[in-house]
Structures are given as structure tokens and as C-alpha cells.
Amino acid sequence: MGKLEDQYGEMERKMRDSQAVPIPILIVEDDDTRVARFERWMPPVFRLVHCRTGGAALGLLERSDPWDFPGMMLDFDLDKHSKTSPYVDGEQALHLALSRLDHSTNILVHSTNDAAASRMVADARKTNPTMRIDYLQVTQKLFLAWLDEVWWESVDRYNMFVDHNHVMMSRRYACVIGTDWLDEEGCPPTSADTDEEFAEDEGAVPR
């Protein structure tokens, strides 16, 4: 087991012991295999809130507070599980999200549809920090680079601080992060830290 997996395992134990709540990231994606891949790459300080359809995303966003999600991930084509009429695609879900979520929320468009993804990114960048990574080209290194941005937004948004037990806390989320997991500046592992541990996964083309 690599160093990073050891650290994640220790974090998960501390989170269970303290009943900590991971920071939520909204993902709008109809392919469960893709979601599972992102979850496998994601440090346990975060959790995915998964909407399989655009309609489900609209309903959740309408009930959400602007500060609920420091990060949001979207696909464009969402027809696998969609039974709503009219059909709601990722671009429509994004438009509502931009009107509901705070402008500091980080957006990741991972659609493989180049034309739609370009439109989505252009619209989102008018108000929010936005990145596009084609899912067919995504790696853990690229994904963690985006999560770094979400992490710093979370630290600022939720007024996190390190308590006397060396646990990263906030008023809203008790995200347990052992200080041995953070670097000297209080940062989480960056993409560079994962190159060796996940080199075999980097070479695989996601399907």
C-alpha cells in the first residue's frame, strides 16, 4: 500500500471516529461507472452528491443554499436515466446552477461532447472559476488539480481551522484531516504527489 493510501486510510478512520461530514461536491452524470472512478480518486475529505438526470439536478439546486457546494461537476448528455419531459441536459442544469450557486463555486465540465462542453465552459467562466477536462482524457492527476481549487475555496468558505486535536474543523463541516496529510502550508496532496502511486491507472483510457 502506498503512502497516499495509508494517509487516506488514517483520515477515514479519524472521520468515522469523530462522525465528521465530508465536504459535498455536486456531480451531474448519468454514467455510474464514471462516478465510481471519480469517487475512487477522491480524498475522503470530499464526497460526491450524485444526480443521474438533469431534472434531479434542477430539483436539488432549487432546494439548495448558494453556499452548499464549493464544487460542481457536469456531463452534457444525460439521457441514460432520464424519464422527465422535457429532457434536461447538462447545459440546462448548468444555467440554473449559475443562477443559484455562489460565484466562487468551482465548475468542472467533463463532457466528451466538444461543442456542448465549449458552450458550457464559456457560459460558466463569465461568473465562476471553470475547468474543462474531457472524460476520455481525464486522469487522477488532472482531477486532483481541480480538487486543489475546490479545497481552497472550502477552507475560505467554511472558515476552517485546526483545533487542539490537529483536526481541520469548521462551523458547518467537521472535516477531519490529520496534519500529517497536509503539507507545510496546510495544503492537501497535490497531483504531483500521486504520480508514482497511481502510475498504472494513469495509462488506462477510461471507458
PDB file of all heavy atoms in Angstrom, residues 29-40 50 80 135 206-207:
ATOM      1  N   GLU A  29     -24.256  13.440 -13.663  1.00  0.00           N
ATOM      2  CA  GLU A  29     -23.665  12.433 -14.545  1.00  0.00           C
ATOM      3  C   GLU A  29     -24.564  11.202 -14.572  1.00  0.00           C
ATOM      4  O   GLU A  29     -24.968  10.699 -13.527  1.00  0.00           O
ATOM      5  CB  GLU A  29     -22.266  12.060 -14.022  1.00  0.00           C
ATOM      6  CG  GLU A  29     -21.609  10.870 -14.688  1.00  0.00           C
ATOM      7  CD  GLU A  29     -21.411  11.061 -16.176  1.00  0.00           C
ATOM      8  OE1 GLU A  29     -20.583  11.907 -16.587  1.00  0.00           O
ATOM      9  OE2 GLU A  29     -22.111  10.354 -16.940  1.00  0.00           O
ATOM     10  N   ASP A  30     -24.869  10.702 -15.791  1.00  0.00           N
ATOM     11  CA  ASP A  30     -25.768   9.552 -15.901  1.00  0.00           C
ATOM     12  C   ASP A  30     -25.031   8.218 -15.983  1.00  0.00           C
ATOM     13  O   ASP A  30     -25.657   7.159 -16.015  1.00  0.00           O
ATOM     14  CB  ASP A  30     -26.706   9.706 -17.102  1.00  0.00           C
ATOM     15  CG  ASP A  30     -25.966   9.743 -18.434  1.00  0.00           C
ATOM     16  OD1 ASP A  30     -24.718   9.891 -18.429  1.00  0.00           O
ATOM     17  OD2 ASP A  30     -26.624   9.642 -19.479  1.00  0.00           O
ATOM     18  N   ASP A  31     -23.706   8.246 -16.003  1.00  0.00           N
ATOM     19  CA  ASP A  31     -22.909   7.020 -16.096  1.00  0.00           C
ATOM     20  C   ASP A  31     -22.309   6.696 -14.728  1.00  0.00           C
ATOM     21  O   ASP A  31     -21.377   7.367 -14.269  1.00  0.00           O
ATOM     22  CB  ASP A  31     -21.803   7.221 -17.138  1.00  0.00           C
ATOM     23  CG  ASP A  31     -21.056   5.927 -17.457  1.00  0.00           C
ATOM     24  OD1 ASP A  31     -20.989   5.051 -16.567  1.00  0.00           O
ATOM     25  OD2 ASP A  31     -20.529   5.807 -18.573  1.00  0.00           O
ATOM     26  N   ASP A  32     -22.826   5.650 -14.076  1.00  0.00           N
ATOM     27  CA  ASP A  32     -22.363   5.292 -12.736  1.00  0.00           C
ATOM     28  C   ASP A  32     -20.896   4.859 -12.731  1.00  0.00           C
ATOM     29  O   ASP A  32     -20.205   5.014 -11.711  1.00  0.00           O
ATOM     30  CB  ASP A  32     -23.220   4.164 -12.157  1.00  0.00           C
ATOM     31  CG  ASP A  32     -24.637   4.614 -11.847  1.00  0.00           C
ATOM     32  OD1 ASP A  32     -24.885   5.836 -11.847  1.00  0.00           O
ATOM     33  OD2 ASP A  32     -25.499   3.742 -11.602  1.00  0.00           O
ATOM     34  N   THR A  33     -20.408   4.326 -13.841  1.00  0.00           N
ATOM     35  CA  THR A  33     -19.010   3.910 -13.920  1.00  0.00           C
ATOM     36  C   THR A  33     -18.079   5.114 -13.811  1.00  0.00           C
ATOM     37  O   THR A  33     -17.037   5.065 -13.143  1.00  0.00           O
ATOM     38  CB  THR A  33     -18.739   3.166 -15.242  1.00  0.00           C
ATOM     39  OG1 THR A  33     -19.608   2.042 -15.337  1.00  0.00           O
ATOM     40  CG2 THR A  33     -17.289   2.702 -15.318  1.00  0.00           C
ATOM     41  N   ARG A  34     -18.458   6.198 -14.449  1.00  0.00           N
ATOM     42  CA  ARG A  34     -17.659   7.422 -14.349  1.00  0.00           C
ATOM     43  C   ARG A  34     -17.645   7.939 -12.920  1.00  0.00           C
ATOM     44  O   ARG A  34     -16.602   8.347 -12.403  1.00  0.00           O
ATOM     45  CB  ARG A  34     -18.219   8.493 -15.287  1.00  0.00           C
ATOM     46  CG  ARG A  34     -18.080   8.195 -16.760  1.00  0.00           C
ATOM     47  CD  ARG A  34     -18.563   9.369 -17.582  1.00  0.00           C
ATOM     48  NE  ARG A  34     -18.401   9.163 -19.015  1.00  0.00           N
ATOM     49  CZ  ARG A  34     -18.626  10.093 -19.930  1.00  0.00           C
ATOM     50  NH1 ARG A  34     -19.018  11.305 -19.552  1.00  0.00           N
ATOM     51  NH2 ARG A  34     -18.448   9.836 -21.213  1.00  0.00           N
ATOM     52  N   VAL A  35     -18.807   7.943 -12.298  1.00  0.00           N
ATOM     53  CA  VAL A  35     -18.904   8.434 -10.924  1.00  0.00           C
ATOM     54  C   VAL A  35     -18.031   7.597  -9.995  1.00  0.00           C
ATOM     55  O   VAL A  35     -17.323   8.125  -9.131  1.00  0.00           O
ATOM     56  CB  VAL A  35     -20.370   8.421 -10.446  1.00  0.00           C
ATOM     57  CG1 VAL A  35     -20.468   8.840  -8.978  1.00  0.00           C
ATOM     58  CG2 VAL A  35     -21.214   9.357 -11.305  1.00  0.00           C
ATOM     59  N   ALA A  36     -18.066   6.275 -10.180  1.00  0.00           N
ATOM     60  CA  ALA A  36     -17.251   5.388  -9.346  1.00  0.00           C
ATOM     61  C   ALA A  36     -15.769   5.691  -9.514  1.00  0.00           C
ATOM     62  O   ALA A  36     -14.991   5.623  -8.547  1.00  0.00           O
ATOM     63  CB  ALA A  36     -17.544   3.931  -9.692  1.00  0.00           C
ATOM     64  N   ARG A  37     -15.368   6.012 -10.717  1.00  0.00           N
ATOM     65  CA  ARG A  37     -13.957   6.343 -10.968  1.00  0.00           C
ATOM     66  C   ARG A  37     -13.552   7.609 -10.224  1.00  0.00           C
ATOM     67  O   ARG A  37     -12.507   7.658  -9.563  1.00  0.00           O
ATOM     68  CB  ARG A  37     -13.723   6.500 -12.469  1.00  0.00           C
ATOM     69  CG  ARG A  37     -12.255   6.704 -12.863  1.00  0.00           C
ATOM     70  CD  ARG A  37     -12.149   6.830 -14.367  1.00  0.00           C
ATOM     71  NE  ARG A  37     -10.777   6.982 -14.810  1.00  0.00           N
ATOM     72  CZ  ARG A  37      -9.965   5.982 -15.101  1.00  0.00           C
ATOM     73  NH1 ARG A  37     -10.386   4.742 -14.972  1.00  0.00           N
ATOM     74  NH2 ARG A  37      -8.729   6.205 -15.506  1.00  0.00           N
ATOM     75  N   PHE A  38     -14.379   8.640 -10.313  1.00  0.00           N
ATOM     76  CA  PHE A  38     -14.090   9.876  -9.594  1.00  0.00           C
ATOM     77  C   PHE A  38     -14.063   9.634  -8.081  1.00  0.00           C
ATOM     78  O   PHE A  38     -13.223  10.190  -7.368  1.00  0.00           O
ATOM     79  CB  PHE A  38     -15.124  10.952  -9.937  1.00  0.00           C
ATOM     80  CG  PHE A  38     -14.981  11.532 -11.318  1.00  0.00           C
ATOM     81  CD1 PHE A  38     -16.058  11.552 -12.190  1.00  0.00           C
ATOM     82  CD2 PHE A  38     -13.772  12.068 -11.745  1.00  0.00           C
ATOM     83  CE1 PHE A  38     -15.936  12.097 -13.464  1.00  0.00           C
ATOM     84  CE2 PHE A  38     -13.632  12.611 -13.016  1.00  0.00           C
ATOM     85  CZ  PHE A  38     -14.722  12.625 -13.875  1.00  0.00           C
ATOM     86  N   GLU A  39     -14.986   8.832  -7.596  1.00  0.00           N
ATOM     87  CA  GLU A  39     -15.021   8.545  -6.160  1.00  0.00           C
ATOM     88  C   GLU A  39     -13.762   7.828  -5.705  1.00  0.00           C
ATOM     89  O   GLU A  39     -13.267   8.071  -4.600  1.00  0.00           O
ATOM     90  CB  GLU A  39     -16.258   7.710  -5.814  1.00  0.00           C
ATOM     91  CG  GLU A  39     -17.549   8.502  -5.850  1.00  0.00           C
ATOM     92  CD  GLU A  39     -18.764   7.663  -5.527  1.00  0.00           C
ATOM     93  OE1 GLU A  39     -18.734   6.434  -5.825  1.00  0.00           O
ATOM     94  OE2 GLU A  39     -19.740   8.216  -4.981  1.00  0.00           O
ATOM     95  N   ARG A  40     -13.252   6.939  -6.539  1.00  0.00           N
ATOM     96  CA  ARG A  40     -12.038   6.207  -6.183  1.00  0.00           C
ATOM     97  C   ARG A  40     -10.841   7.147  -6.088  1.00  0.00           C
ATOM     98  O   ARG A  40      -9.933   6.938  -5.287  1.00  0.00           O
ATOM     99  CB  ARG A  40     -11.771   5.115  -7.225  1.00  0.00           C
ATOM    100  CG  ARG A  40     -10.643   4.179  -6.849  1.00  0.00           C
ATOM    101  CD  ARG A  40     -10.579   2.979  -7.775  1.00  0.00           C
ATOM    102  NE  ARG A  40     -10.130   3.298  -9.119  1.00  0.00           N
ATOM    103  CZ  ARG A  40     -10.899   3.275 -10.204  1.00  0.00           C
ATOM    104  NH1 ARG A  40     -12.191   2.968 -10.109  1.00  0.00           N
ATOM    105  NH2 ARG A  40     -10.405   3.557 -11.400  1.00  0.00           N
ATOM    106  N   HIS A  50     -24.586  12.816  -6.024  1.00  0.00           N
ATOM    107  CA  HIS A  50     -24.766  12.375  -7.406  1.00  0.00           C
ATOM    108  C   HIS A  50     -26.200  12.564  -7.881  1.00  0.00           C
ATOM    109  O   HIS A  50     -27.140  12.028  -7.291  1.00  0.00           O
ATOM    110  CB  HIS A  50     -24.365  10.889  -7.494  1.00  0.00           C
ATOM    111  CG  HIS A  50     -24.463  10.330  -8.871  1.00  0.00           C
ATOM    112  ND1 HIS A  50     -24.485   8.969  -9.133  1.00  0.00           N
ATOM    113  CD2 HIS A  50     -24.541  10.932 -10.097  1.00  0.00           C
ATOM    114  CE1 HIS A  50     -24.573   8.778 -10.425  1.00  0.00           C
ATOM    115  NE2 HIS A  50     -24.612   9.949 -11.033  1.00  0.00           N
ATOM    116  N   LYS A  80     -29.400   8.536 -20.079  1.00  0.00           N
ATOM    117  CA  LYS A  80     -29.476   7.125 -19.676  1.00  0.00           C
ATOM    118  C   LYS A  80     -30.619   6.838 -18.716  1.00  0.00           C
ATOM    119  O   LYS A  80     -31.268   5.802 -18.788  1.00  0.00           O
ATOM    120  CB  LYS A  80     -28.155   6.678 -19.035  1.00  0.00           C
ATOM    121  CG  LYS A  80     -27.062   6.369 -20.034  1.00  0.00           C
ATOM    122  CD  LYS A  80     -25.866   5.721 -19.341  1.00  0.00           C
ATOM    123  CE  LYS A  80     -24.806   5.349 -20.357  1.00  0.00           C
ATOM    124  NZ  LYS A  80     -23.633   4.694 -19.708  1.00  0.00           N
ATOM    125  N   TYR A 135     -13.673  13.651 -20.435  1.00  0.00           N
ATOM    126  CA  TYR A 135     -13.588  12.436 -19.631  1.00  0.00           C
ATOM    127  C   TYR A 135     -12.662  11.393 -20.249  1.00  0.00           C
ATOM    128  O   TYR A 135     -12.007  10.624 -19.538  1.00  0.00           O
ATOM    129  CB  TYR A 135     -14.980  11.831 -19.400  1.00  0.00           C
ATOM    130  CG  TYR A 135     -14.909  10.602 -18.524  1.00  0.00           C
ATOM    131  CD1 TYR A 135     -14.756  10.730 -17.150  1.00  0.00           C
ATOM    132  CD2 TYR A 135     -14.941   9.332 -19.079  1.00  0.00           C
ATOM    133  CE1 TYR A 135     -14.643   9.609 -16.338  1.00  0.00           C
ATOM    134  CE2 TYR A 135     -14.824   8.205 -18.280  1.00  0.00           C
ATOM    135  CZ  TYR A 135     -14.687   8.352 -16.899  1.00  0.00           C
ATOM    136  OH  TYR A 135     -14.549   7.241 -16.109  1.00  0.00           O
ATOM    137  N   PRO A 206     -10.127   5.724 -19.817  1.00  0.00           N
ATOM    138  CA  PRO A 206     -11.446   5.435 -19.235  1.00  0.00           C
ATOM    139  C   PRO A 206     -12.501   5.163 -20.284  1.00  0.00           C
ATOM    140  O   PRO A 206     -12.500   5.766 -21.347  1.00  0.00           O
ATOM    141  CB  PRO A 206     -11.749   6.725 -18.445  1.00  0.00           C
ATOM    142  CG  PRO A 206     -10.823   7.761 -18.970  1.00  0.00           C
ATOM    143  CD  PRO A 206      -9.673   7.070 -19.606  1.00  0.00           C
ATOM    144  N   ARG A 207     -13.398   4.247 -19.959  1.00  0.00           N
ATOM    145  CA  ARG A 207     -14.487   3.894 -20.880  1.00  0.00           C
ATOM    146  C   ARG A 207     -15.840   4.129 -20.212  1.00  0.00           C
ATOM    147  O   ARG A 207     -15.937   3.996 -19.017  1.00  0.00           O
ATOM    148  CB  ARG A 207     -14.374   2.434 -21.286  1.00  0.00           C
ATOM    149  CG  ARG A 207     -13.059   2.093 -21.991  1.00  0.00           C
ATOM    150  CD  ARG A 207     -12.950   2.800 -23.318  1.00  0.00           C
ATOM    151  NE  ARG A 207     -11.745   2.494 -24.029  1.00  0.00           N
ATOM    152  CZ  ARG A 207     -11.334   3.128 -25.099  1.00  0.00           C
ATOM    153  NH1 ARG A 207     -12.032   4.138 -25.583  1.00  0.00           N
ATOM    154  NH2 ARG A 207     -10.239   2.799 -25.725  1.00  0.00           N
TER     155      ARG A 207
END
